[in-house]
mmCIF file of all heavy atoms in Angstrom:
data_model
loop_
_atom_site.group_PDB
_atom_site.id
_atom_site.type_symbol
_atom_site.label_atom_id
_atom_site.label_comp_id
_atom_site.label_asym_id
_atom_site.label_seq_id
_atom_site.Cartn_x
_atom_site.Cartn_y
_atom_site.Cartn_z
ATOM 1 N N ARG A 1 -0.180 21.962 30.577
ATOM 2 C CA ARG A 1 0.502 20.908 30.132
ATOM 3 C C ARG A 1 -0.557 19.747 29.864
ATOM 4 O O ARG A 1 -0.556 18.958 28.837
ATOM 5 C CB ARG A 1 1.533 20.498 30.954
ATOM 6 C CG ARG A 1 2.287 19.291 30.585
ATOM 7 C CD ARG A 1 3.533 18.973 31.527
ATOM 8 N NE ARG A 1 3.194 18.725 32.897
ATOM 9 C CZ ARG A 1 3.432 19.529 33.848
ATOM 10 N NH1 ARG A 1 4.000 20.664 33.766
ATOM 11 N NH2 ARG A 1 3.068 19.083 35.147
ATOM 12 N N VAL A 2 -1.463 19.478 30.875
ATOM 13 C CA VAL A 2 -2.458 18.350 30.755
ATOM 14 C C VAL A 2 -3.369 18.742 29.483
ATOM 15 O O VAL A 2 -3.743 17.813 28.812
ATOM 16 C CB VAL A 2 -3.253 18.320 31.945
ATOM 17 C CG1 VAL A 2 -4.469 17.503 31.850
ATOM 18 C CG2 VAL A 2 -2.340 17.767 33.206
ATOM 19 N N SER A 3 -3.740 19.977 29.262
ATOM 20 C CA SER A 3 -4.516 20.316 28.168
ATOM 21 C C SER A 3 -4.007 20.002 26.803
ATOM 22 O O SER A 3 -4.584 19.542 25.981
ATOM 23 C CB SER A 3 -5.101 21.708 28.301
ATOM 24 O OG SER A 3 -6.083 21.939 29.316
ATOM 25 N N VAL A 4 -2.702 20.320 26.753
ATOM 26 C CA VAL A 4 -1.918 20.096 25.589
ATOM 27 C C VAL A 4 -1.910 18.558 25.232
ATOM 28 O O VAL A 4 -2.165 18.070 24.129
ATOM 29 C CB VAL A 4 -0.437 20.691 25.630
ATOM 30 C CG1 VAL A 4 0.357 20.218 24.407
ATOM 31 C CG2 VAL A 4 -0.629 22.222 25.619
ATOM 32 N N ILE A 5 -1.481 17.757 26.188
ATOM 33 C CA ILE A 5 -1.525 16.335 25.997
ATOM 34 C C ILE A 5 -2.892 15.689 25.709
ATOM 35 O O ILE A 5 -2.952 14.865 24.739
ATOM 36 C CB ILE A 5 -1.041 15.624 27.300
ATOM 37 C CG1 ILE A 5 0.373 16.112 27.548
ATOM 38 C CG2 ILE A 5 -1.051 14.022 27.208
ATOM 39 C CD1 ILE A 5 1.019 15.753 29.030
ATOM 40 N N ALA A 6 -4.007 16.275 26.413
ATOM 41 C CA ALA A 6 -5.214 15.757 25.990
ATOM 42 C C ALA A 6 -5.653 16.038 24.604
ATOM 43 O O ALA A 6 -6.298 15.286 23.864
ATOM 44 C CB ALA A 6 -6.229 16.267 27.017
ATOM 45 N N SER A 7 -5.179 17.276 24.145
ATOM 46 C CA SER A 7 -5.519 17.734 22.837
ATOM 47 C C SER A 7 -4.719 16.723 21.791
ATOM 48 O O SER A 7 -5.459 16.432 20.758
ATOM 49 C CB SER A 7 -5.038 19.110 22.501
ATOM 50 O OG SER A 7 -5.447 19.642 21.332
ATOM 51 N N VAL A 8 -3.608 16.460 22.006
ATOM 52 C CA VAL A 8 -2.858 15.538 21.124
ATOM 53 C C VAL A 8 -3.583 14.214 21.043
ATOM 54 O O VAL A 8 -3.768 13.667 19.915
ATOM 55 C CB VAL A 8 -1.472 15.386 21.554
ATOM 56 C CG1 VAL A 8 -0.694 14.243 20.799
ATOM 57 C CG2 VAL A 8 -0.624 16.698 21.427
ATOM 58 N N CYS A 9 -4.007 13.708 22.230
ATOM 59 C CA CYS A 9 -4.604 12.329 22.218
ATOM 60 C C CYS A 9 -5.987 12.441 21.405
ATOM 61 O O CYS A 9 -6.195 11.466 20.530
ATOM 62 C CB CYS A 9 -4.983 12.054 23.656
ATOM 63 S SG CYS A 9 -3.591 11.566 24.709
ATOM 64 N N CYS A 10 -6.693 13.442 21.669
ATOM 65 C CA CYS A 10 -8.024 13.525 20.945
ATOM 66 C C CYS A 10 -7.991 13.796 19.456
ATOM 67 O O CYS A 10 -8.717 13.162 18.691
ATOM 68 C CB CYS A 10 -9.028 14.494 21.634
ATOM 69 S SG CYS A 10 -9.717 13.863 23.183
ATOM 70 N N PHE A 11 -7.013 14.586 19.025
ATOM 71 C CA PHE A 11 -6.719 14.839 17.620
ATOM 72 C C PHE A 11 -6.175 13.554 16.878
ATOM 73 O O PHE A 11 -6.429 13.309 15.686
ATOM 74 C CB PHE A 11 -6.040 16.070 17.306
ATOM 75 C CG PHE A 11 -6.803 17.345 17.374
ATOM 76 C CD1 PHE A 11 -6.772 18.193 18.492
ATOM 77 C CD2 PHE A 11 -7.652 17.707 16.333
ATOM 78 C CE1 PHE A 11 -7.586 19.314 18.492
ATOM 79 C CE2 PHE A 11 -8.461 18.835 16.350
ATOM 80 C CZ PHE A 11 -8.398 19.543 17.523
ATOM 81 N N THR A 12 -5.333 12.812 17.612
ATOM 82 C CA THR A 12 -4.805 11.535 17.108
ATOM 83 C C THR A 12 -6.038 10.614 16.838
ATOM 84 O O THR A 12 -6.140 9.969 15.706
ATOM 85 C CB THR A 12 -3.933 10.905 18.090
ATOM 86 O OG1 THR A 12 -2.904 11.829 18.385
ATOM 87 C CG2 THR A 12 -3.422 9.519 17.658
ATOM 88 N N GLY A 13 -7.013 10.570 17.787
ATOM 89 C CA GLY A 13 -8.162 9.763 17.540
ATOM 90 C C GLY A 13 -8.957 10.230 16.401
ATOM 91 O O GLY A 13 -9.608 9.458 15.643
ATOM 92 N N GLN A 14 -9.202 11.634 16.288
ATOM 93 C CA GLN A 14 -10.009 12.117 15.260
ATOM 94 C C GLN A 14 -9.444 11.793 13.909
ATOM 95 O O GLN A 14 -10.061 11.224 12.938
ATOM 96 C CB GLN A 14 -10.126 13.630 15.293
ATOM 97 C CG GLN A 14 -11.014 14.260 14.372
ATOM 98 C CD GLN A 14 -10.817 15.712 14.198
ATOM 99 O OE1 GLN A 14 -9.740 16.259 14.203
ATOM 100 N NE2 GLN A 14 -11.916 16.463 14.289
ATOM 101 N N MET A 15 -8.153 11.962 13.651
ATOM 102 C CA MET A 15 -7.613 11.686 12.298
ATOM 103 C C MET A 15 -7.596 10.223 11.925
ATOM 104 O O MET A 15 -7.924 9.865 10.933
ATOM 105 C CB MET A 15 -6.034 12.160 12.246
ATOM 106 C CG MET A 15 -5.397 11.843 11.002
ATOM 107 S SD MET A 15 -6.384 12.433 9.531
ATOM 108 C CE MET A 15 -5.917 14.131 9.431
ATOM 109 N N ALA A 16 -7.240 9.246 12.981
ATOM 110 C CA ALA A 16 -7.307 7.886 12.733
ATOM 111 C C ALA A 16 -8.652 7.446 12.221
ATOM 112 O O ALA A 16 -8.854 6.584 11.366
ATOM 113 C CB ALA A 16 -6.887 7.059 13.951
ATOM 114 N N ALA A 17 -9.674 7.981 12.905
ATOM 115 C CA ALA A 17 -11.108 7.747 12.674
ATOM 116 C C ALA A 17 -11.580 8.120 11.268
ATOM 117 O O ALA A 17 -12.210 7.552 10.468
ATOM 118 C CB ALA A 17 -12.106 8.142 13.648
ATOM 119 N N LEU A 18 -11.126 9.507 10.975
ATOM 120 C CA LEU A 18 -11.454 9.993 9.681
ATOM 121 C C LEU A 18 -10.836 9.366 8.590
ATOM 122 O O LEU A 18 -11.334 9.405 7.448
ATOM 123 C CB LEU A 18 -11.189 11.559 9.686
ATOM 124 C CG LEU A 18 -12.092 12.397 10.586
ATOM 125 C CD1 LEU A 18 -11.629 13.767 10.640
ATOM 126 C CD2 LEU A 18 -13.493 12.208 10.365
ATOM 127 N N VAL A 19 -9.653 8.761 8.680
ATOM 128 C CA VAL A 19 -9.045 7.969 7.725
ATOM 129 C C VAL A 19 -9.722 6.525 7.624
ATOM 130 O O VAL A 19 -9.926 6.077 6.453
ATOM 131 C CB VAL A 19 -7.616 7.844 7.920
ATOM 132 C CG1 VAL A 19 -6.936 6.806 7.036
ATOM 133 C CG2 VAL A 19 -6.906 9.117 7.805
ATOM 134 N N ALA A 20 -9.996 5.930 8.710
ATOM 135 C CA ALA A 20 -10.539 4.514 8.794
ATOM 136 C C ALA A 20 -11.941 4.331 8.255
ATOM 137 O O ALA A 20 -12.310 3.483 7.555
ATOM 138 C CB ALA A 20 -10.343 3.974 10.102
ATOM 139 N N LEU A 21 -12.794 5.403 8.653
ATOM 140 C CA LEU A 21 -14.181 5.402 8.426
ATOM 141 C C LEU A 21 -14.600 5.281 6.834
ATOM 142 O O LEU A 21 -15.416 4.337 6.463
ATOM 143 C CB LEU A 21 -14.997 6.478 9.031
ATOM 144 C CG LEU A 21 -15.315 6.335 10.526
ATOM 145 C CD1 LEU A 21 -15.876 7.569 11.140
ATOM 146 C CD2 LEU A 21 -16.323 5.120 10.666
ATOM 147 N N PRO A 22 -14.024 5.993 5.986
ATOM 148 C CA PRO A 22 -14.348 5.946 4.462
ATOM 149 C C PRO A 22 -14.095 4.525 4.050
ATOM 150 O O PRO A 22 -14.875 4.041 3.136
ATOM 151 C CB PRO A 22 -13.534 7.038 3.904
ATOM 152 C CG PRO A 22 -13.303 8.014 4.981
ATOM 153 C CD PRO A 22 -13.072 7.093 6.236
ATOM 154 N N PHE A 23 -12.828 3.958 4.405
ATOM 155 C CA PHE A 23 -12.547 2.600 3.991
ATOM 156 C C PHE A 23 -13.566 1.598 4.492
ATOM 157 O O PHE A 23 -14.021 0.649 3.818
ATOM 158 C CB PHE A 23 -11.176 2.275 4.427
ATOM 159 C CG PHE A 23 -10.119 2.894 3.544
ATOM 160 C CD1 PHE A 23 -9.585 4.093 4.062
ATOM 161 C CD2 PHE A 23 -9.665 2.390 2.391
ATOM 162 C CE1 PHE A 23 -8.440 4.795 3.448
ATOM 163 C CE2 PHE A 23 -8.702 2.934 1.701
ATOM 164 C CZ PHE A 23 -8.120 4.181 2.205
ATOM 165 N N TYR A 24 -13.951 1.790 5.741
ATOM 166 C CA TYR A 24 -14.898 0.832 6.420
ATOM 167 C C TYR A 24 -16.221 0.892 5.735
ATOM 168 O O TYR A 24 -16.836 -0.152 5.373
ATOM 169 C CB TYR A 24 -15.062 1.253 7.875
ATOM 170 C CG TYR A 24 -15.991 0.343 8.714
ATOM 171 C CD1 TYR A 24 -16.104 -0.999 8.484
ATOM 172 C CD2 TYR A 24 -16.940 0.942 9.671
ATOM 173 C CE1 TYR A 24 -16.989 -1.778 9.259
ATOM 174 C CE2 TYR A 24 -17.746 0.328 10.325
ATOM 175 C CZ TYR A 24 -17.720 -1.128 10.141
ATOM 176 O OH TYR A 24 -18.566 -1.872 10.877
ATOM 177 N N ILE A 25 -16.778 2.153 5.460
ATOM 178 C CA ILE A 25 -18.125 2.215 4.989
ATOM 179 C C ILE A 25 -18.101 1.739 3.462
ATOM 180 O O ILE A 25 -19.095 1.119 2.926
ATOM 181 C CB ILE A 25 -18.546 3.712 5.025
ATOM 182 C CG1 ILE A 25 -18.736 4.131 6.481
ATOM 183 C CG2 ILE A 25 -19.953 3.946 4.387
ATOM 184 C CD1 ILE A 25 -19.021 5.595 6.816
ATOM 185 N N GLN A 26 -16.996 2.130 2.681
ATOM 186 C CA GLN A 26 -17.158 1.946 1.282
ATOM 187 C C GLN A 26 -16.703 0.388 0.919
ATOM 188 O O GLN A 26 -17.319 -0.354 0.246
ATOM 189 C CB GLN A 26 -16.080 2.767 0.461
ATOM 190 C CG GLN A 26 -16.706 4.283 0.590
ATOM 191 C CD GLN A 26 -15.775 5.221 -0.246
ATOM 192 O OE1 GLN A 26 -15.538 4.844 -1.402
ATOM 193 N NE2 GLN A 26 -15.140 6.088 0.339
ATOM 194 N N HIS A 27 -15.565 -0.038 1.571
ATOM 195 C CA HIS A 27 -15.041 -1.470 1.161
ATOM 196 C C HIS A 27 -15.698 -2.447 1.899
ATOM 197 O O HIS A 27 -16.099 -3.526 1.339
ATOM 198 C CB HIS A 27 -13.467 -1.293 1.367
ATOM 199 C CG HIS A 27 -12.796 -0.431 0.532
ATOM 200 N ND1 HIS A 27 -11.457 -0.311 0.587
ATOM 201 C CD2 HIS A 27 -13.188 0.364 -0.441
ATOM 202 C CE1 HIS A 27 -11.035 0.602 -0.291
ATOM 203 N NE2 HIS A 27 -11.999 1.011 -0.987
ATOM 204 N N GLU A 28 -15.905 -2.310 3.272
ATOM 205 C CA GLU A 28 -16.506 -3.469 3.995
ATOM 206 C C GLU A 28 -17.947 -3.526 4.023
ATOM 207 O O GLU A 28 -18.466 -4.520 3.911
ATOM 208 C CB GLU A 28 -15.968 -3.411 5.482
ATOM 209 C CG GLU A 28 -16.373 -4.590 6.335
ATOM 210 C CD GLU A 28 -15.758 -4.646 7.699
ATOM 211 O OE1 GLU A 28 -14.685 -3.951 7.884
ATOM 212 O OE2 GLU A 28 -16.320 -5.372 8.575
ATOM 213 N N LEU A 29 -18.615 -2.258 3.994
ATOM 214 C CA LEU A 29 -20.078 -2.275 4.046
ATOM 215 C C LEU A 29 -20.634 -2.072 2.665
ATOM 216 O O LEU A 29 -21.852 -2.067 2.500
ATOM 217 C CB LEU A 29 -20.512 -1.054 4.907
ATOM 218 C CG LEU A 29 -20.104 -1.136 6.336
ATOM 219 C CD1 LEU A 29 -20.685 0.025 7.190
ATOM 220 C CD2 LEU A 29 -20.452 -2.402 6.993
ATOM 221 N N GLY A 30 -19.731 -1.874 1.593
ATOM 222 C CA GLY A 30 -20.275 -1.885 0.333
ATOM 223 C C GLY A 30 -21.091 -0.630 -0.161
ATOM 224 O O GLY A 30 -21.852 -0.639 -1.109
ATOM 225 N N GLN A 31 -20.796 0.466 0.569
ATOM 226 C CA GLN A 31 -21.537 1.706 0.259
ATOM 227 C C GLN A 31 -20.771 2.581 -0.799
ATOM 228 O O GLN A 31 -19.654 2.452 -0.814
ATOM 229 C CB GLN A 31 -21.912 2.515 1.494
ATOM 230 C CG GLN A 31 -22.560 1.785 2.580
ATOM 231 C CD GLN A 31 -24.024 1.319 2.111
ATOM 232 O OE1 GLN A 31 -24.819 2.080 1.656
ATOM 233 N NE2 GLN A 31 -24.217 -0.022 2.260
ATOM 234 N N SER A 32 -21.439 3.527 -1.420
ATOM 235 C CA SER A 32 -20.882 4.358 -2.393
ATOM 236 C C SER A 32 -20.094 5.523 -1.674
ATOM 237 O O SER A 32 -20.184 5.761 -0.393
ATOM 238 C CB SER A 32 -21.887 4.986 -3.312
ATOM 239 O OG SER A 32 -22.737 5.939 -2.615
ATOM 240 N N ALA A 33 -19.252 6.153 -2.530
ATOM 241 C CA ALA A 33 -18.529 7.235 -1.947
ATOM 242 C C ALA A 33 -19.396 8.416 -1.453
ATOM 243 O O ALA A 33 -19.172 9.050 -0.356
ATOM 244 C CB ALA A 33 -17.418 7.773 -2.852
ATOM 245 N N VAL A 34 -20.395 8.598 -2.183
ATOM 246 C CA VAL A 34 -21.452 9.663 -1.832
ATOM 247 C C VAL A 34 -22.158 9.319 -0.503
ATOM 248 O O VAL A 34 -22.299 10.117 0.424
ATOM 249 C CB VAL A 34 -22.460 9.867 -2.920
ATOM 250 C CG1 VAL A 34 -23.568 10.868 -2.507
ATOM 251 C CG2 VAL A 34 -21.858 10.429 -4.189
ATOM 252 N N THR A 35 -22.548 7.989 -0.288
ATOM 253 C CA THR A 35 -23.104 7.497 0.849
ATOM 254 C C THR A 35 -22.209 7.679 2.002
ATOM 255 O O THR A 35 -22.587 8.022 3.079
ATOM 256 C CB THR A 35 -23.507 6.080 0.808
ATOM 257 O OG1 THR A 35 -24.517 6.022 -0.357
ATOM 258 C CG2 THR A 35 -24.253 5.574 1.997
ATOM 259 N N ALA A 36 -20.883 7.371 1.827
ATOM 260 C CA ALA A 36 -19.954 7.441 2.865
ATOM 261 C C ALA A 36 -19.816 8.961 3.450
ATOM 262 O O ALA A 36 -19.708 9.201 4.525
ATOM 263 C CB ALA A 36 -18.447 6.957 2.412
ATOM 264 N N GLY A 37 -19.772 9.789 2.458
ATOM 265 C CA GLY A 37 -19.699 11.357 2.711
ATOM 266 C C GLY A 37 -20.978 11.673 3.634
ATOM 267 O O GLY A 37 -20.776 12.268 4.629
ATOM 268 N N LEU A 38 -22.147 11.247 3.228
ATOM 269 C CA LEU A 38 -23.282 11.632 3.898
ATOM 270 C C LEU A 38 -23.338 10.945 5.348
ATOM 271 O O LEU A 38 -23.876 11.567 6.239
ATOM 272 C CB LEU A 38 -24.522 11.026 3.103
ATOM 273 C CG LEU A 38 -24.921 11.792 1.820
ATOM 274 C CD1 LEU A 38 -26.070 11.148 1.166
ATOM 275 C CD2 LEU A 38 -25.122 13.274 2.084
ATOM 276 N N LEU A 39 -22.737 9.666 5.408
ATOM 277 C CA LEU A 39 -22.797 9.094 6.754
ATOM 278 C C LEU A 39 -21.815 9.648 7.790
ATOM 279 O O LEU A 39 -22.007 9.525 8.986
ATOM 280 C CB LEU A 39 -22.580 7.572 6.578
ATOM 281 C CG LEU A 39 -23.649 6.802 5.974
ATOM 282 C CD1 LEU A 39 -23.240 5.297 5.752
ATOM 283 C CD2 LEU A 39 -24.890 6.865 6.637
ATOM 284 N N MET A 40 -20.760 10.346 7.263
ATOM 285 C CA MET A 40 -19.799 11.010 8.035
ATOM 286 C C MET A 40 -20.222 12.450 8.318
ATOM 287 O O MET A 40 -19.657 13.090 9.165
ATOM 288 C CB MET A 40 -18.412 10.960 7.309
ATOM 289 C CG MET A 40 -17.860 9.540 7.280
ATOM 290 S SD MET A 40 -16.210 9.499 6.583
ATOM 291 C CE MET A 40 -15.243 10.419 7.776
ATOM 292 N N THR A 41 -21.086 12.924 7.515
ATOM 293 C CA THR A 41 -21.648 14.399 7.866
ATOM 294 C C THR A 41 -22.111 14.695 9.168
ATOM 295 O O THR A 41 -21.903 15.789 9.784
ATOM 296 C CB THR A 41 -22.692 14.872 6.742
ATOM 297 O OG1 THR A 41 -22.040 14.639 5.482
ATOM 298 C CG2 THR A 41 -23.114 16.303 6.972
ATOM 299 N N PRO A 42 -22.792 13.784 9.839
ATOM 300 C CA PRO A 42 -23.294 13.978 11.166
ATOM 301 C C PRO A 42 -22.084 14.372 12.170
ATOM 302 O O PRO A 42 -22.420 15.058 13.272
ATOM 303 C CB PRO A 42 -23.924 12.739 11.675
ATOM 304 C CG PRO A 42 -24.455 12.035 10.383
ATOM 305 C CD PRO A 42 -23.324 12.446 9.335
ATOM 306 N N TRP A 43 -20.904 13.933 11.923
ATOM 307 C CA TRP A 43 -19.824 14.221 12.859
ATOM 308 C C TRP A 43 -19.534 15.674 12.933
ATOM 309 O O TRP A 43 -19.744 16.213 14.007
ATOM 310 C CB TRP A 43 -18.575 13.519 12.305
ATOM 311 C CG TRP A 43 -17.424 13.615 13.201
ATOM 312 C CD1 TRP A 43 -16.902 14.809 13.739
ATOM 313 C CD2 TRP A 43 -16.451 12.589 13.510
ATOM 314 N NE1 TRP A 43 -15.721 14.550 14.465
ATOM 315 C CE2 TRP A 43 -15.356 13.221 14.370
ATOM 316 C CE3 TRP A 43 -16.399 11.314 13.257
ATOM 317 C CZ2 TRP A 43 -14.313 12.538 14.796
ATOM 318 C CZ3 TRP A 43 -15.182 10.584 13.657
ATOM 319 C CH2 TRP A 43 -14.223 11.117 14.487
ATOM 320 N N PRO A 44 -19.239 16.440 11.810
ATOM 321 C CA PRO A 44 -19.059 17.878 12.026
ATOM 322 C C PRO A 44 -20.373 18.686 12.441
ATOM 323 O O PRO A 44 -20.188 19.689 13.109
ATOM 324 C CB PRO A 44 -18.578 18.439 10.579
ATOM 325 C CG PRO A 44 -19.059 17.218 9.769
ATOM 326 C CD PRO A 44 -18.992 16.073 10.421
ATOM 327 N N LEU A 45 -21.335 18.117 12.030
ATOM 328 C CA LEU A 45 -22.676 18.768 12.516
ATOM 329 C C LEU A 45 -23.006 18.661 13.931
ATOM 330 O O LEU A 45 -23.417 19.625 14.610
ATOM 331 C CB LEU A 45 -23.986 18.122 11.778
ATOM 332 C CG LEU A 45 -24.014 18.443 10.231
ATOM 333 C CD1 LEU A 45 -25.229 17.740 9.613
ATOM 334 C CD2 LEU A 45 -24.045 19.948 9.911
#
């Protein structure tokens, strides 16, 4: 039960971050879509 709850918590954080980061990098930091993709690539690596 604890592992299931922890999994829900961490995947909630993952999705929220993966939605927010492209907007942050492109709109607020003024980077291109290609650069945003490259800056997020270290995550899965």
Side-chain angles (χ1 to χ4, degrees):
R1 182 171 65 247
V2 167
S3 291
V4 168
I5 296 171
S7 185
V8 171
C9 291
C10 284
F11 277 104
T12 298
Q14 183 194 50
M15 176 53 79
L18 291 178
V19 172
L21 278 173
F23 286 95
Y24 180 40
I25 296 171
Q26 293 181 60
H27 293 178
E28 187 170 338
L29 301 181
Q31 304 297 310
S32 66
V34 174
T35 302
L38 291 174
L39 291 179
M40 293 180 66
T41 300
W43 183 318
L45 294 179

